[in-house]
């Protein structure tokens, strides 16, 4: 089987849905399992629903109505026959959402998050499955929550590989077009879980691994994996080939085209991953597989904005040793800080961190009891794989360099505009 994954950008409107059908008709759809994300910015819209559910109950219904209106408009434009079953099925899903919000007793934000945002994927796949049948693309809709089993770590669930392998290998029908949801799973109590933001790529890799698939293709609005984000760098170059190892390195440093968890199960079975354009589906795109590290061999630029550069030094000028560093990292783990760069000297320790959950003030208060704390907010962390002097000059131009670190293949630079 082949696994295809389409993200929200490819499904943001009626033209997008029709284009996905066109891609399948041009490239073939027998023995394909299609992993679909929520449409457009639906996950963001559901995050607003959750925020209103907890904090602004008077705005809850209006935020739900916006989500309903968006999807209903797409359905109305796709189906000429208003008696089509899809209207009833989509309305049933929204009724389930209303029921949950009216009857939920759990105060756990992460639990509520997973139960609510999951409707984005359930509804998008429902619409697409019905539309494909409507135009003669016969398919089999499956609920991914019956196949991918996880623990109960809501919003970042861990896959139970043994159970998931059994369910997928035994129950997925081959020789047909299957449509399922990205991003979702379920725990032992059958409550919905999610695999982390942008986890639909990971879903595709899970199915590929369990089915020993021929390949995985991630369809995006770019021609493939570029050596730099064109929003920040001019003259970005298409990478034709990347090895698994190099792709994992790029993902670790923050490249957003491929989800970090996606590559590991594919590498184990040497299943190639393609990143291709849904705008120009016949172009070759980028191949991630065993073989040459990078083709063409060129510097790769990764930028992470809105980072914190935190520097700690001992109050009494004593050395910062393993015991101190261990304690610091325990606090980073406790406050869910993502560490992207580390540099230390005898009496100081600097890290570039990402405060995704807005816990820095609380962390700083604890660190200040034992260390002198200084920090810079809203810094940018640039990582250059296969760096050259010219590549470093591009990054450093017109910026204040706060920290630079160089290893054999990688240069990291923390800058302030």
């Amino acid at each position: 089987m082949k696994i295809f994954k389409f993200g929200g950008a490819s499904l943001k409107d009626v033209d997008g849905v029709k284009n996905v059908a066109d891609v399948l008709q041009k490239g073939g759809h027998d023995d394909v399992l299609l992993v679909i994300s929520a449409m457009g910015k639906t996950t963001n819209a559901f995050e607003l629903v959750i925020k209103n559910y907890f904090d602004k109950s008077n705005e809850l219904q209006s935020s739900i109505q916006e989500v309903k209106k968006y999807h209903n408009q797409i359905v109305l434009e796709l189906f000429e026959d208003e008696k089509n079953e899809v209207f009833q099925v989509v309305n049933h899903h929204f009724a389930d959402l209303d029921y949950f919000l009216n009857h939920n007793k759990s105060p756990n934000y992460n639990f509520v998050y997973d139960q609510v945002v999951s409707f984005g994927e359930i509804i998008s796949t429902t619409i697409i499955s019905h539309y494909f049948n409507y135009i003669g693309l016969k398919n089999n809709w499956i609920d991914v929550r019956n196949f991918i089993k996880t623990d109960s770590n809501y919003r970042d669930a861990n896959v139970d590989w043994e159970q998931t392998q059994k369910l997928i290998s035994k129950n997925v029908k081959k020789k047909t077009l299957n449509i399922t949801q990205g991003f979702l799973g379920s725990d032992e109590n059958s409550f919905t879980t999610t695999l982390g933001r942008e986890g639909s790529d990971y879903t595709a890799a899970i199915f590929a691994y369990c089915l020993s698939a021929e390949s995985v293709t991630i369809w995006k609005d770019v021609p493939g994996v570029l050596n730099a984000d064109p929003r920040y760098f001019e003259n970005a170059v298409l990478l034709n080939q990347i090895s698994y190892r190099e792709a994992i390195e790029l993902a670790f440093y923050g490249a957003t085209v491929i989800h970090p968890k996606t590559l590991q199960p594919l590498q184990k079975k040497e299943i190639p991953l393609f990143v291709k354009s849904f705008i120009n589906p016949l172009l070759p795109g980028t191949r991630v597989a065993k073989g040459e590290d990078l083709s063409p061999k060129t510097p790769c630029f990764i930028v992470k904005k809105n980072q914190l550069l935190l520097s700690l030094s001992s109050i009494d000028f004593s050395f910062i040793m393993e015991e101190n560093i261990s304690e610091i990292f325990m606090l980073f783990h406790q406050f869910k800080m993502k560490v992207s760069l580390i540099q230390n000297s005898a009496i100081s320790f600097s890290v570039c961190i990402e405060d995704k959950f807005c816990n820095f003030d609380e962390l700083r208060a604890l660190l200040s009891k034992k260390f002198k704390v200084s920090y810079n907010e809203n810094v940018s962390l640039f990582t250059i794989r296969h760096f050259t002097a010219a590549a470093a000059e591009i990054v450093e131009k017109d910026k204040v360099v706060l920290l630079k670190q160089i290893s054999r293949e990688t240069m990291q630079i923390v800058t302030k505009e």
Side-chain angles (χ1 to χ4, degrees), residues 295-330:
S295 175
K297 191 82 170 180
T298 185
C300 294
F301 300 85
I302 301 154
V303 58
K304 296 176 80 171
K305 300 282 189 177
N306 302 315
Q307 304 291 293
L308 271 159
L309 180 61
L310 172 66
S311 296
L312 307 175
S313 55
S314 53
I315 295 171
D316 59 0
F317 293 98
S318 60
F319 291 163
I320 293 187
M321 302 294 287
E322 288 83 355
E323 181 183 347
N324 306 111
I325 294 171
S326 173
E327 183 181 356
I328 292 164
F329 269 89
M330 282 180 64

Side-chain angles (χ1 to χ4, degrees), residues 4 20 62 112 126 132 141 160 209 220 238-239 259 263 285 288 311 322 340 374 386:
F4 287 176
V20 170
S62 64
V112 172
T126 296
F132 283 6
W141 184 92
D160 181 333
Y209 178 88
K220 290 187 167 284
L238 175 68
L239 302 174
H259 192 274
L263 297 158
V288 182
S311 296
E322 288 83 355
S340 301
S374 56
H386 313 292

Side-chain angles (χ1 to χ4, degrees), residues 222-258:
V222 291
V225 179
L226 305 176
N227 76 321
D229 189 330
R231 292 175 298 175
Y232 305 118
F233 296 91
E234 296 178 356
N235 305 316
V237 175
L238 175 68
L239 302 174
N240 303 315
Q241 156 80 22
I242 312 175
S243 68
Y244 293 116
R245 179 186 178 88
E246 184 64 28
I248 288 169
E249 290 280 4
L250 293 172
F252 172 79
Y253 287 115
T256 56
V257 174
I258 304 171

